[in-house]
């Protein structure tokens, strides 16, 4: 976990509340600064998630992992099924999908590939078939 200038602490996700998109430790009115440890792990700076985060299912399997920047998904992210198999992976810029997203079935077999730009899907590919997202005119 990251170290911060000034006071910071480590809390459980259950110790936090969200008000107007900002994380606070319960029973306070100061945006939280510190680390979160438990079913979700990461760092909060001035009430916003920042840096690497990960989350786990109740059974202990990894649910998702990736980076936040100013509380927005930013950079590569991976999502998993509760059996541990990769569900999909892709890249985000400022909270919007951007680039190639690969999707897999719960068995681990490749399912499809999406191409995104600025949060909008451009194309979807199933094996050798590519489908445009806008109808032909």
């Amino acid at each position: 976990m990251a170290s911060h200038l000034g006071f910071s602490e480590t809390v459980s996700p259950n110790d936090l509340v969200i008000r107007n998109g900002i994380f606070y430790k319960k029973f306070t009115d100061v945006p939280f600064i510190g680390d979160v440890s438990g079913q979700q792990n990461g760092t909060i700076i001035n009430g916003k998630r920042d840096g690497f985060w990960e989350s786990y299912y109740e059974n202990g399997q990894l649910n998702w992992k990736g980076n936040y920047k100013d509380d927005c998904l930013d950079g590569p992210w991976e999502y998993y099924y509760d059996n541990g198999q990769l569900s999909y992976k892709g890249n985000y810029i400022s909270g919007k999908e951007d680039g190639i997203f690969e999707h897999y079935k719960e068995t681990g077999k490749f399912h499809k590939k999406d191409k995104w730009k600025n949060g909008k899907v451009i194309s979807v590919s199933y094996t050798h078939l590519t489908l445009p997202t806008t109808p032909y005119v």
Side-chain angles (χ1 to χ4, degrees):
M1 298 285 165
S3 70
H4 312 283
L5 295 174
F7 180 73
S8 75
E9 62 183 302
T10 300
V11 299
S12 159
N14 296 333
D15 294 329
L16 299 173
V17 295
I18 302 172
R19 287 184 229 125
N20 298 318
I22 303 293
F23 286 89
Y24 296 86
K25 188 172 177 186
K26 286 181 180 175
F27 313 113
T28 71
D29 63 354
V30 177
F32 182 73
I33 298 174
D35 296 322
V36 177
S37 182
Q39 198 167 344
Q40 289 189 13
N41 301 298
T43 300
I44 296 176
I45 299 174
N46 296 323
K48 296 183 177 185
R49 291 170 286 195
D50 197 76
F52 180 76
W53 274 74
E54 61 189 0
S55 178
Y56 292 87
Y57 288 104
E58 289 288 330
N59 68 8
Q61 291 283 7
L62 183 62
N63 184 346
W64 50 259
K65 66 179 179 179
N67 285 295
Y68 280 95
K69 184 176 179 181
D70 199 29
D71 213 44
C72 290
L73 284 66
D74 200 75
W77 274 74
E78 294 180 355
Y79 299 83
Y80 296 84
Y81 293 105
D82 63 2
N83 68 0
Q85 289 288 340
L86 181 64
S87 173
Y88 66 96
K89 62 182 178 178
N91 190 63
Y92 293 85
I93 297 176
S94 299
K96 295 182 179 180
E97 299 90 341
D98 200 273
I100 302 296
F101 276 67
E102 296 178 352
H103 300 260
Y104 299 86
K105 296 182 180 180
E106 203 163 351
T107 60
K109 186 176 178 181
F110 176 78
H111 177 60
K112 69 177 180 169
K113 188 182 290 188
D114 303 336
K115 186 173 182 181
W116 293 78
K117 184 68 178 170
N118 200 28
K120 297 187 187 305
V121 68
I122 296 170
S123 66
V124 179
S125 299
Y126 293 89
T127 315
H128 301 296
L129 176 65
T130 300
L131 302 172
T133 58
T134 56
Y136 292 107
V137 179

